[in-house]
Amino acid sequence: MKQISYIFLTALVFASCSPLQKALKVDDSAYKNEVADQLYEKGKYKQAIRLYEQVEKKEGWAANYQSMYYKYSKSYYNARKWEAAKPMFQKFNLLYLTSVNREETMYLEAMSAYNMSEVFTLDQHVTYEGIQKFDAFLAAYPESQYKDDANAKKRELSEKIERKAYESAKLFNKIGEYTRDYNAAIVALDNFLLDYPGTVYKTDALFYKFDSAYKLALNSVYSKMEERLKNAVSLHEDLIAYDADTKYKDEADRMLDRLKKELQQFSTK
């Protein structure tokens, strides 16, 4: 009776051993790859990755494993492991130039960078990388089925860079009340407008440039005040000429009235 129970228990243990566990233990790359592909097709990407990793370690990036590396890379992507997916797709695209999957993998390489891109307040090096990867993809496959989405994603990344540049320039205006260096704010906002002439933040940048010149003028020594007051007035004109109905109009007009009153003291010379 005990012998029967032991045999039954042993059989149960072997029966419960999953294909994954069996494949992990064998030294047969073809078998590991076969089981990994089955797991991949079932959407069990993290399990498939464990087997693909073993095959990679043993076989390297051999030409006959091109199909495996396609699924291996996509497993990382589908598992939302962007940091691992990006270099995998990059290596695939460099090694397998004639792959029938290269259009998709170049797109997914760019998408991996897109998904890694941080909010605009943080470091944007991956955002720049994503833009470059979308550019490379669109240059290689200008009529791709993914082109519209690639262009949209690239614009989104570019707008994030633009937003960071605007906020960085605007910050000089905000800290000006502590540093009293409003010249730095004017230069920063001017550089932003030169770098992004078609920016959606143009009205905002023009207002804060005017605001910086306004505060610089009012806090100037007498010998420099007249010139700075006139410069601030001209920047108000730039703002209204670009956007006559700006949301800043009432505030800007009040500031203009103050500038004109201050200028009156110089008209009596």
Side-chain angles (χ1 to χ4, degrees), residues 21 39 48 77 189 198 234 261:
Q21 294 304 319
L39 293 168
Y77 186 86
L189 288 159
S234 71
K261 288 179 182 177

Side-chain angles (χ1 to χ4, degrees), residues 91-108:
K91 191 168 184 178
F92 183 94
N93 292 326
L94 287 172
L95 289 178
Y96 305 124
L97 296 175
T98 59
S99 170
V100 295
N101 302 118
R102 194 166 183 270
E103 177 182 342
E104 180 189 6
T105 53
M106 280 195 73
Y107 167 71
L108 292 177

